[in-house]
Amino acid sequence: MPLILISGFPSSGKTYRSEQLKEYFAQKIAASEDARISKLKIHHLNDQNLGLDRDVYAAARSEKDARATLSSAIKRDLTANSIVIADSMNYIKGFRYQMFCEAKAQRTPSCVVHIGTPVEKCREMNEKALADGTGGYQTDLFENLVFRYEEPNGMTRWDSPLYTVPYDDETPPLEELWDTLVGGKAKAVKPNSATVLAPATEQNYLYELDKTTSDIVAQISAWQKDHPGESGGEISVAGAEHDIELPANPLGLPQLQRLRRQFITMNRTHSLTKDRIKDLFVDYLNDTFQAA
């Protein structure tokens, strides 16, 4: 069942809003006569109940490990009979994209709830929490996290539907969230095509997977070499439905090879035709470039 990603500046009131959501959803579940809904359980995940200290965000390695911990917990709890409220900053759009893909693979709806507290108010509440000894982020860490925050954009599919909760609103749009994710407006979610493919049976499939993706990476590298200094660009791949839409910053060969290896790992147990490999790899690259 649904995944709700809470996103906002540090000290913006994310946990307070998450508790409002949890309480309202619990009431709706308890009052429901629908057997499917009455079996639902709510999992509220945040740094505190995952055993993560605020200081993990002070270093790249510990922050990466913290995101991995949250990701693992979401994947563990995201079942047919659960509602997962991921109460964290979720400030990196690439991470939100990964969780969007995870929810889609589980055929469950997802949304992003953006806690729209102005940064000045967040700074004020953070300083008060530090002074009171009740929490808060160290000042330099707070400012760094604010600087790095990538605000959700409802125009992108991984941040949609997007619900923004202004600071002075008493509650989030609770009824709308319930209807969209669980109630009458909830829609069936189709997983990505790569997650529903038959097991590989063709003897030369892995060879084709390796060669096709390698050829596309080589095509990207050759195009960048022929167009030095150009920002972005589109590359047409013969036999693929869509063009590759390059990001503004040039892509190094190690980065491209890393993406190729990730794609191969995801699809090595599937059976695809050569043209289908092209389509999926091009779509994977475009989604990754947009989320970066």
Side-chain angles (χ1 to χ4, degrees), residues 105 107 190-199 270:
R107 305 187 185 213
K190 294 182 179 180
N192 292 322
S193 55
T195 67
V196 293
L197 299 169
H270 301 148

Side-chain angles (χ1 to χ4, degrees), residues 1-4 25-26 29 35-45 73-86 102-103 106-110 178 181-182:
M1 287 299 284
L3 168 63
I4 305 172
F25 277 31
I29 292 170
R36 176 186 65 90
I37 293 177
S38 63
K39 292 189 299 183
L40 293 177
K41 294 183 179 180
I42 302 173
H43 298 277
H44 178 200
L45 304 174
I74 290 173
K75 292 176 182 179
R76 179 195 66 221
D77 292 335
L78 197 59
T79 67
N81 296 320
S82 66
I83 297 173
V84 177
I85 302 174
E102 181 64 29
Q106 297 295 329
R107 305 187 185 213
T108 188
S110 64
W178 174 267
L181 299 173
V182 184

Side-chain angles (χ1 to χ4, degrees), residues 1 30 32 37 39 46 48 75 126 141 143 157 164 166 187 201 236 244:
M1 287 299 284
S32 177
I37 293 177
K39 292 189 299 183
N46 60 19
Q48 286 70 38
K75 292 176 182 179
N126 188 69
L141 178 55
E143 298 297 340
R157 55 199 177 94
T164 298
K187 297 179 180 179
T201 55
S236 177
I244 298 173

Side-chain angles (χ1 to χ4, degrees), residues 236-242 274-279 282:
S236 177
V237 176
E241 182 178 357
H242 301 121
K274 186 173 182 178
D275 286 348
R276 192 73 183 117
I277 292 172
K278 290 180 181 179
D279 284 333
V282 168

Side-chain angles (χ1 to χ4, degrees), residues 106-281:
Q106 297 295 329
R107 305 187 185 213
T108 188
S110 64
C111 75
V112 175
V113 176
H114 177 215
I115 311 304
T117 306
V119 66
E120 294 81 5
K121 188 65 181 179
C122 295
R123 187 176 289 112
E124 176 188 328
M125 292 191 293
N126 188 69
E127 291 175 357
K128 184 177 186 300
L130 283 174
D132 295 344
T134 56
Y137 299 82
Q138 294 301 315
T139 302
D140 56 345
L141 178 55
F142 173 88
E143 298 297 340
N144 182 268
L145 289 170
V146 167
F147 176 76
R148 290 192 284 143
Y149 185 76
E150 297 174 339
E151 186 170 321
N153 178 2
M155 298 298 290
T156 60
R157 55 199 177 94
W158 57 86
D159 283 340
S160 177
L162 174 64
Y163 299 90
T164 298
V165 185
Y167 172 73
D168 52 3
D169 278 13
E170 290 188 6
T171 63
L174 300 171
E175 186 65 33
E176 186 177 354
L177 279 162
W178 174 267
D179 284 345
T180 301
L181 299 173
V182 184
K185 296 181 181 178
K187 297 179 180 179
V189 177
K190 294 182 179 180
N192 292 322
S193 55
T195 67
V196 293
L197 299 169
T201 55
E202 300 178 20
Q203 291 183 354
N204 66 339
Y205 169 66
L206 291 179
Y207 168 79
E208 291 293 349
L209 182 63
D210 182 79
K211 184 177 185 303
T212 301
T213 54
S214 181
D215 288 346
I216 291 175
V217 165
Q219 188 174 348
I220 295 173
S221 295
W223 189 94
Q224 292 186 143
K225 185 176 180 180
D226 293 338
H227 301 78
E230 287 196 21
S231 176
E234 295 185 355
I235 301 175
S236 177
V237 176
E241 182 178 357
H242 301 121
D243 292 342
I244 298 173
E245 300 175 6
L246 295 176
N249 297 321
L251 298 161
L253 183 58
Q255 181 183 5
L256 290 170
Q257 292 289 13
R258 177 176 56 81
L259 293 175
R260 186 176 80 90
R261 288 193 298 271
Q262 289 174 351
F263 178 81
I264 289 175
T265 300
M266 291 166 55
N267 292 280
R268 66 186 306 117
T269 59
H270 301 148
S271 182
L272 306 170
T273 63
K274 186 173 182 178
D275 286 348
R276 192 73 183 117
I277 292 172
K278 290 180 181 179
D279 284 333
L280 282 178
F281 189 44

Side-chain angles (χ1 to χ4, degrees), residues 61-73:
R61 179 60 183 272
S62 59
E63 181 178 343
K64 182 179 179 181
D65 291 344
R67 281 199 301 273
T69 298
L70 175 61
S71 174
S72 296

